Amino acid sequence: MSSRFVAVELFRGHWKGLSDYRQKNPIADRWTRAILLVLPLLAGGAMFIPGAQLAAPGAILAGVALLAGSFLAAWGQVASLRLRLTERAADFETAQQVDRDALDETAAHLLVASVLSGCTALVLVLAMNLAANPATGAVSGPLAAIAVALATYVLLVFLIAVPRLYTAYVNIHKVRPELSGTHRGR
């Protein structure tokens, strides 16, 4: 029963999605994976610099709470687009495989970002109630570092997912080249 709380498959799908899967055998995108590991650790580590603190943790809490819901809403849209491609997969088996893969990747990214937004919110609530400076409400120390690292990861996944959503939209809806950002030219 407790396996319901384990999101291993979700995170595995997210990690596998960080690959170039246009070939038969996907190739790991090591550069993106390294950025996703190193930047959050550096951002979280910066919270251990003397004097570093989250002066307004409530604002970050509000932001990640909104993001958690927004990511779930975006996931619903991705699922709808994916269903549309699944329905016509027999007609365009090879031609739309990249689009289907992009939506599958994006779905995992959005759900991971939503889960991590919720985790960030929890850490911030704990920090604000257990470790906040009573005079200022600022948060510092390990809980602040964890919150910053998680929030940084969420931001990076957001920056990965949004361009993927745009590309999927352009390809699935056949946006004409004059309006599509995926085509060079005016």
Side-chain angles (χ1 to χ4, degrees), residues 3-17 108 111-112:
S3 65
R4 290 183 176 147
F5 293 104
V6 179
V8 171
E9 289 103 4
L10 176 60
F11 285 92
R12 186 182 304 131
H14 160 64
W15 202 249
K16 284 181 174 182
L111 290 175
V112 162

Side-chain angles (χ1 to χ4, degrees), residues 10 21 69-87 96 98-113 157-158 160-170 172-173:
L10 176 60
Y21 41 78
S70 298
F71 288 134
L72 286 176
W75 178 81
Q77 293 297 318
V78 167
S80 294
L81 288 173
R82 181 59 166 95
L83 180 60
R84 184 174 171 182
L85 288 181
T86 300
E87 289 171 349
Q96 293 184 338
V98 172
D99 295 333
R100 288 190 299 271
D101 290 343
L103 288 175
D104 294 339
E105 172 193 348
T106 304
H109 294 330
L110 291 171
L111 290 175
V112 162
V157 173
F158 175 76
I160 290 170
V162 169
R164 304 294 293 167
L165 288 170
Y166 178 71
T167 301
Y169 173 85
V170 166
I172 291 167
H173 295 290

